[in-house]
Amino acid sequence: MRHHRKTTSLAAAALWAALAAAAAGCGGGPADPTATAATGAGGCPGVQRGAQEAVRGAERTDTSWNGPTTGPRAVPGKTLVYVAQTMTNPGVAGVADGVEQAAEAIGWQVRVIDGEGTPAGIQAALSQAVTLKPSGIVIGGFDPRLTSQQLARAAAADIPLVGWHAVAAPGPSADPKLFTNVTTEVEDVARISADWVIAGSGGRAGVVLFTDDSIPFAKNKAGLIRRRLAACPGVRLLSYENIPIPDASRRTPQEVSSLLSRFGDDWTYSVAINDLYFADAAPAFRAAGRPGAGPPLNIGAGDGDPSAFQRINTRQFQAATVPEPLTQQGWQIVDEFNRAFAGSPASGYVAPVHVVTAANSGGGTSWDPPGYRPAYERIWRGLPPG
């Protein structure tokens, strides 16, 4: 049975070991996550060694599926509504595609409703989702606390909710109530992004950080990146750019032009909480005569959409990304709902972080770890692990 999509517009074991070694051997940042890194010409040999080890682990591609291989058989006849923060966010859209693919495999129906990136739009989208009385609703990339009335209606209707980047941590959430939240560990994503800067720069860099503080998940990620960068005295945080994602295409080119004028060659690295900032920054870098291969060298701390891979592979104003396995996470969302419908607990799976560069991308346009599709399909068909 094929699912039907209707979009409505309204108004990454070795890696963990490496990260643990880095955390144990390098020390932490200042207590205040918003403290700017100290200036100075010196590097940070101890922190740099730990960062290099962690980055080497995260750049590995010879990985295998380490997620669930057992669970309940497919519960038939279910419907899902995916409420998107905005479908212009490539991460949100990529997960929606994964949900649709998995729904087709399990035999369910899916409808996508676009909140268009505004509180009113998201509230209206979630309100419509509840009115449709689906079997389950996906909270796609927005803070569910912005929609407390709609959440109460969903709870009254006994509709389970699964989030993607909805709260800061993966797993079940009591407040707001989510069966589970699907995401990588934000602490690991933030740390490896900062470590990539520290390792690549030899502990000497001038960094601009792009974020969207209107999204608690993103604000937390940016604070963690800022803290890790501050662990290296030779890394200077030149500017903290708070640009809401819905405004990024309009504001980012102007801000980048201004930053180039202010900092010139002192700006050697950038970190963004989402790759899309570099798509919007590219015209300003190009207009200023900056080489596509940098500097500045730019890394996205999520989400690893196809355009980011294209920029990385062609060395056009983005050098690396820490991609979410977007399609795999879409499949995980469907599997989590199946567990909810069957009365089973959430899987507890969290994908390990991965760093993509032109050297290890293989020319691909996404990070799609091998093995999850047959694993989930065997679970849903009631077959033993392959």
Side-chain angles (χ1 to χ4, degrees):
M1 171 179 165
R2 292 183 62 86
H3 72 286
H4 302 285
R5 170 180 178 175
K6 181 174 180 181
T7 302
T8 303
S9 174
L10 290 172
L15 168 59
W16 299 117
L19 288 169
C26 303
D32 178 4
T34 64
T36 302
T39 60
C44 47
V47 174
Q48 186 184 347
R49 284 192 296 271
Q52 289 170 335
E53 183 179 359
V55 171
R56 281 195 297 270
E59 288 179 340
R60 291 181 54 187
T61 58
D62 56 338
T63 59
S64 58
W65 174 241
N66 66 340
T69 56
T70 60
R73 291 177 63 106
V75 178
K78 298 299 183 179
T79 59
L80 302 178
V81 174
Y82 184 101
V83 179
Q85 180 250 354
T86 171
M87 289 294 280
T88 62
N89 182 328
V92 172
V95 174
D97 287 341
V99 169
E100 291 181 319
Q101 293 176 23
E104 182 170 4
I106 202 171
W108 296 351
Q109 295 183 332
V110 178
R111 179 169 179 165
V112 178
I113 304 179
D114 190 350
E116 298 188 334
T118 67
I122 292 167
Q123 290 166 4
L126 187 52
S127 181
Q128 182 180 352
V130 175
T131 300
L132 291 171
K133 298 181 180 179
S135 307
I137 296 174
V138 184
I139 305 298
F142 60 89
D143 181 3
R145 284 172 282 255
L146 298 173
T147 57
S148 57
Q149 293 182 352
Q150 290 79 14
L151 291 187
R153 288 178 55 205
D158 202 25
I159 301 173
L161 307 175
V162 170
W164 180 81
H165 285 204
V167 294
S173 171
D175 184 21
K177 186 171 177 55
L178 302 174
F179 178 73
T180 196
N181 182 54
V182 176
T183 179
T184 49
E185 290 279 5
V186 65
E187 293 86 358
D188 296 334
V189 174
R191 187 181 183 97
I192 203 66
S193 303
D195 279 353
W196 185 86
V197 172
I198 295 168
S201 69
R204 296 175 178 85
V207 183
V208 172
L209 176 56
F210 295 92
T211 187
D212 179 352
D213 281 353
S214 71
I215 302 173
F217 183 91
K219 182 178 181 180
N220 180 43
K221 185 192 293 186
L224 292 165
I225 293 169
R226 203 168 182 173
R227 173 181 291 181
R228 179 57 177 167
L229 292 173
C232 185
V235 174
R236 297 175 295 141
L237 182 61
L238 302 177
S239 184
Y240 182 97
E241 295 293 317
N242 176 24
I243 303 174
I245 285 175
D247 298 336
S249 60
R250 176 177 58 85
R251 288 184 49 188
T252 303
Q254 300 171 12
E255 296 296 336
V256 168
S257 295
S258 175
L259 291 164
L260 288 169
S261 297
R262 289 166 58 195
F263 299 116
D265 292 340
D266 289 340
W267 181 8
T268 58
Y269 281 81
S270 309
V271 187
I273 57 93
N274 191 298
D275 295 300
L276 63 83
Y277 289 99
F278 299 128
D280 298 322
F285 285 129
R286 192 173 290 113
R290 291 299 178 110
L297 298 172
N298 303 318
I299 181 169
D303 291 314
D305 65 277
S307 67
F309 276 74
Q310 184 178 28
R311 288 190 297 276
I312 291 166
N313 292 336
T314 59
R315 294 174 170 82
Q316 289 297 304
F317 308 107
Q318 186 167 351
T321 186
V322 185
E324 297 278 345
L326 300 174
T327 305
Q328 178 271 314
Q329 289 177 332
W331 281 64
Q332 182 181 348
I333 286 170
V334 170
D335 183 65
E336 301 291 4
F337 272 119
N338 193 56
R339 292 168 191 269
F341 300 149
S344 299
S347 72
Y349 178 65
V350 180
V353 295
H354 178 61
V355 173
V356 168
T357 66
N360 72 350
S361 73
T365 58
S366 66
W367 169 235
D368 204 27
Y372 68 87
R373 297 175 195 241
Y376 282 130
E377 288 178 337
R378 292 184 71 85
I379 291 172
W380 300 338
R381 292 165 60 192
L383 300 176

